[in-house]
Amino acid sequence: CMPMVALAVMGKAVVIGVESVEWWVIDPSINILLGVSGFSIAMLMGSKLSSVNGRLYALEDAVCRITGSMRDMWWATPEIRRELAVWSSSLEHFLQAPREEKLRMAPRMRNLTDDLEKTLENYKLGGPNISGFHRDAAFLIHRATATTPIAYDQFLRYVSVLYIIIQIIAIPGLIGLISIFLSSFVIVGIYYLVSDMDDPLNYQTSSFIDARLDALTYWNQNHPVDEQKV
């Protein structure tokens, strides 16, 4: 955030130098406009934060439900263990792959899920557990590549930048300098933090917040493909 904050503060420092000229007059009523605009940006940020936070926990819940379903299938029908282990290992690899690779891997993951369904049907496996398993698998594969709509994200970015610029112009003196530092740090920081949460399956060194796949990882570690008999 700091390069953006430093840029905003330097911009305000330049503006302070010309605030003493006669033609630089800002009506105090602009404070109402700034307050309303700030509240609107907070609403936009909050809406996106709620959406991405819900997606984060929804992904984790789906992983746990899928793992629970696999545990039931594992002991109910030992003949499908290898196919199930292959699918589970592929799912973990798919979820941990970079976003661009996820987009390429998604069709293959859907085909593997269809093949697993055929295997389950061959062994007469059905019922609520199998139905829930496929629903959660379809949800997980779809949401793994989903993000906030680009139009929403661009609008939020443009409005945030415009709001900071208006503050640089409209709030005078030392109070304006402090306000710009604080507001730019908060707005830019929240924007980047929410954007990071918007990709909860990133798992790169630059990522701050990621969905936890502990249940699936633990399952694959204890049910490796190599140990399963054909």
Side-chain angles (χ1 to χ4, degrees):
C1 300
M2 296 313 298
M4 300 294 295
V5 174
L7 182 63
V9 171
M10 286 189 295
K12 181 58 187 177
V14 172
V15 171
I16 288 178
V18 298
E19 285 179 353
S20 58
V21 298
E22 295 181 358
W23 49 267
W24 192 274
V25 179
I26 302 296
D27 194 309
S29 61
I30 198 173
N31 293 333
I32 299 175
L33 176 61
L34 290 175
V36 173
S37 301
F39 178 77
S40 301
I41 293 175
M43 292 291 292
L44 289 171
M45 289 283 191
S47 177
K48 183 177 179 181
L49 177 61
S50 176
S51 175
V52 299
N53 194 52
R55 183 191 308 148
L56 174 68
Y57 288 111
L59 290 171
E60 293 180 346
D61 288 346
V63 168
C64 292
R65 289 194 299 267
I66 286 174
T67 305
S69 297
M70 289 192 298
R71 183 172 289 106
D72 288 343
M73 291 185 284
W74 186 270
W75 295 109
T77 310
E79 293 82 2
I80 67 167
R81 287 182 177 180
R82 181 169 180 81
E83 289 79 1
L84 195 61
V86 169
W87 183 88
S88 177
S89 178
S90 299
L91 178 65
E92 183 179 11
H93 179 66
F94 166 73
L95 294 177
Q96 292 179 340
R99 175 172 173 74
E100 294 75 14
E101 191 174 345
K102 279 191 183 75
L103 294 173
R104 294 193 298 267
M105 295 172 62
R108 177 178 178 274
M109 196 65 223
R110 292 187 176 96
N111 290 334
L112 285 176
T113 305
D114 292 340
D115 293 340
L116 180 61
E117 167 65 13
K118 295 175 183 177
T119 301
L120 298 179
E121 291 293 337
N122 290 337
Y123 287 95
K124 308 301 181 183
L125 286 175
N129 180 47
I130 305 301
S131 176
F133 169 80
H134 286 288
R135 182 175 61 250
D136 290 329
F139 169 82
L140 196 58
I141 296 171
H142 168 70
R143 299 304 291 179
T145 57
T147 57
T148 300
I150 295 177
Y152 186 100
D153 193 62
Q154 288 181 339
F155 178 72
L156 179 58
R157 182 167 63 251
Y158 295 152
V159 169
S160 299
V161 171
L162 181 61
Y163 181 72
I164 292 174
I165 292 174
I166 297 300
Q167 279 191 314
I168 291 174
I169 297 173
I171 305 179
L174 180 61
I175 296 300
L177 190 64
I178 296 173
S179 299
I180 289 302
F181 173 80
L182 182 60
S183 63
S184 61
F185 181 75
V186 171
I187 292 175
V188 175
I190 292 178
Y191 178 84
Y192 280 128
L193 184 63
V194 174
S195 295
D196 184 80
M197 292 179 64
D198 199 18
D199 190 8
L201 297 172
N202 190 357
Y203 303 109
Q204 304 300 313
T205 55
S206 60
S207 181
F208 294 106
I209 301 173
D210 297 314
R212 297 187 60 177
L213 305 179
D214 302 43
L216 182 61
T217 301
Y218 177 81
W219 170 268
N220 287 331
Q221 289 174 350
N222 289 274
H223 304 81
V225 177
D226 295 341
E227 294 183 6
Q228 310 310 322
K229 302 298 182 181
V230 179

